[in-house]
Amino acid sequence: MDGLEAGLIDYYNIPRLCKECRGVMIFKGVGEYQCESCGYVDYDDYGKVRLYIEKHKGATAAEIEMVTGVSQRAIRRMLRESRIEIAEGSKTFLHCEVCNKDIRSGRFCNECEIKLHRNVEAAQREELRKKVKIMGVGRRGEEGQRRFIREEQ
């Protein structure tokens, strides 16, 4: 296992070995893992938080931390990653990193996210335009299309 994989396991508290029989835990989806030997089911931090939120809509981060043992810092990280979102009707919000507008999950509001993507797209177009120019297309005084026309025999 390389350093990145080990970091992710620690970052999300992913269960690797079964607590019951020490067998290998297999990922089943949405934060759930099952032992391949005895069938014991366990959850990573995301799975614990998600299960709790499904049963207790509108729970606060402090309440979730107290019951699940997942830190509020990890819960905020999940909110920023848009893995979970703040319940509708809540008085608590995250704030867009660009315009400071109230949002329920992620890092940006819809408007700023669209602007961000459009800026990235424009930068990609400009980069492509530069590469095309370097390859000789669009140079003055040259008829590039002539290079590709076959003379009839």
Side-chain angles (χ1 to χ4, degrees), residues 11 17 21 25 43 78 82 84 112:
Y11 190 72
L17 297 175
C21 73
M25 298 299 284
Y43 298 90
M78 288 178 218
S82 295
I84 59 175
C112 290

Side-chain angles (χ1 to χ4, degrees), residues 20 26 57 60 63-64 74 76 104 124 126 151 153:
E20 300 291 316
I26 306 297
K57 300 210 184 301
T60 65
E63 179 184 341
I64 296 168
R76 282 191 302 275
R104 293 178 30 206
Q124 289 172 329
E126 180 63 23
E151 293 183 18
Q153 300 173 8

Side-chain angles (χ1 to χ4, degrees), residues 122-148:
Q124 289 172 329
R125 280 189 201 94
E126 180 63 23
E127 187 66 28
L128 181 61
R129 189 186 65 73
K130 286 179 185 177
K131 286 180 182 177
V132 168
K133 203 171 205 175
I134 289 171
M135 294 173 21
V137 176
R139 288 187 180 169
R140 289 185 183 170
E142 294 184 21
E143 295 295 324
Q145 70 270 20
R146 287 248 181 234
R147 287 183 267 166
F148 303 107

Side-chain angles (χ1 to χ4, degrees), residues 76-82 94-110 112-113 116:
R76 282 191 302 275
R77 183 178 63 233
M78 288 178 218
L79 285 164
R80 288 288 181 198
E81 292 171 352
S82 295
L94 297 173
H95 300 285
C96 173
E97 292 179 11
V98 175
C99 69
N100 211 31
K101 182 178 176 180
D102 291 343
I103 55 177
R104 293 178 30 206
S105 71
R107 297 175 54 206
F108 308 105
C109 67
N110 289 337
C112 290
E113 189 164 11
L116 176 72

Side-chain angles (χ1 to χ4, degrees), residues 47-64:
K48 292 173 188 175
V49 169
R50 185 170 183 263
L51 278 175
Y52 189 79
I53 290 173
E54 284 177 358
K55 294 177 183 173
H56 304 92
K57 300 210 184 301
T60 65
E63 179 184 341
I64 296 168

